[in-house]
Amino acid sequence: MRAAPFGPTGREVSAIGQGTWLIDEEDRVGPVEALRAGLDAGMTHIDTAEMYGDAEVMVAEAIAGRRDEVFLVSKVLPENASARGTIAACERSLKRLKTDRLDCYLLHWRGSYPLADTVEAFERLVEAGKIASWGVSNFDAKDLDELLAVTEPGRIACNQVLYHLGERAIEHRVLPWCEANGVALVAYSPFGHDDFPPPNSPGGRALGEIGAAHGATARQVALAALSRRPSVFVIPKASSVAHARDNAAAADLDLTPAELTRIDAVFPRGREPRRLPMI
């Protein structure tokens, strides 16, 4: 599995990881087995959140006996992100995950509490050894500017955002901001949300033809294209062992410049929207 430095943390993290949003809505056995298969395949970056229902409990089951292999990430909800509430939320997540630490802890999206209060809590958790690093999710460039104003350079580990071939808004300002400031960018929902391009669409045909040239699937091509930059990490969800192995194999796919140009042409970046897209 290809790995890269995760922002300023100094940790080498798998370029393709594992998301867990909505896994608690599926058969419990399948997603847990998929997470374990993903670990076996080198997808050691596992992302979850307190908002994700029983996902943290299922992650705990999947990583039992293997905690040291995992780069484990969870998130605090904005309504819990006061100085005191962030610490309490982290403690609850640690209990559900059956671990004594997180490798990274994120503010799920911006809420009403001052960013300085949340950052204060994050730093207290770092000092206590409860988290190794912290970051944010769904932050636009302006939000990142405000965050940087209440912390020091090199403290923001990552920004997790919606990013797939059909939604490339973050390439306008967010991705350049992250790269300029040494912040990892984590792409959630890299296949979209139930809207992956069908095989008979122009985008689907391009992905399928490029995949066929490499003996790969269209989804593997999509993951390889999204993670072409060393600063970008993708966290697709898998509900089966076969799906997890398919995701992991995308890390070995080397797309040519001509293929990437074709993908960019059929999935144009488009204009910058007024608001950062999120789901």
Side-chain angles (χ1 to χ4, degrees):
M1 170 61 65
R2 177 168 54 85
F6 194 79
T9 67
R11 290 283 301 273
E12 290 282 322
V13 174
S14 58
I16 299 175
Q18 305 190 76
T20 61
W21 183 38
L22 301 180
I23 66 168
D24 64 325
E25 296 184 358
E26 303 173 23
D27 171 69
R28 190 182 191 92
V29 176
V32 170
E33 291 182 343
L35 286 168
R36 290 172 177 162
L39 287 178
D40 292 339
M43 293 191 297
T44 54
H45 176 187
I46 296 181
D47 177 89
T48 189
E50 67 171 342
M51 190 187 79
Y52 295 172
D54 285 338
E56 288 180 322
V57 176
M58 296 168 72
V59 169
E61 184 177 349
I63 69 174
R66 307 181 66 173
R67 174 64 186 90
D68 290 344
E69 300 176 38
V70 181
F71 187 85
L72 184 60
V73 181
S74 192
K75 309 181 196 73
V76 58
L77 282 165
E79 56 261 40
N80 294 332
S82 65
R84 180 178 298 180
T86 298
I87 293 173
C90 183
E91 294 283 4
R92 292 192 297 269
S93 285
L94 291 174
K95 184 175 181 179
R96 286 190 292 268
L97 288 161
K98 296 184 179 180
T99 184
D100 61 350
R101 73 210 185 274
L102 295 171
D103 295 291
C104 198
Y105 195 37
L106 312 183
L107 173 59
H108 209 146
W109 63 87
R110 191 165 183 181
S112 59
Y113 287 109
L115 292 175
D117 290 1
T118 309
V119 169
E120 176 189 345
F122 283 158
E123 293 295 356
R124 287 172 60 187
L125 287 165
V126 171
E127 291 174 5
K130 300 295 179 66
I131 68 175
S133 63
W134 58 267
V136 292
S137 180
N138 296 303
F139 269 43
D140 207 339
K142 181 180 177 182
D143 299 313
L144 292 166
D145 283 335
E146 294 182 35
L147 179 63
L148 189 58
V150 299
T151 188
E152 299 176 359
R155 300 304 298 165
I156 307 168
C158 71
N159 184 22
Q160 186 181 125
V161 291
L162 176 66
Y163 187 35
H164 56 85
L165 291 178
E167 182 50 82
R168 299 174 59 182
I170 59 102
E171 293 181 16
H172 287 280
R173 289 192 300 156
V174 175
L175 179 54
W177 193 102
C178 289
E179 291 187 328
N181 289 277
V183 174
L185 188 136
V186 180
Y188 71 77
S189 296
F191 298 132
H193 190 54
D194 297 327
D195 59 353
F196 191 75
N200 60 346
S201 67
R205 284 194 295 273
L207 295 176
E209 290 169 5
I210 291 170
H214 293 269
T217 66
R219 288 176 181 260
Q220 287 172 340
V221 174
L223 290 180
L226 291 169
S227 61
R228 73 184 82 171
R229 297 169 178 259
S231 61
V232 176
F233 302 78
V234 295
I235 48 169
K237 183 187 73 169
S239 57
S240 69
V241 169
H243 190 184
R245 290 172 177 166
D246 187 79
N247 289 342
D252 299 324
L253 181 57
D254 292 321
L255 301 177
T256 68
E259 289 168 338
L260 290 170
T261 297
R262 182 183 180 189
I263 291 169
D264 289 340
V266 77
F267 295 102
R269 183 175 64 173
R271 294 181 177 180
E272 182 178 5
R274 285 188 172 185
R275 295 184 179 182
L276 185 72
M278 59 181 286
I279 55 175

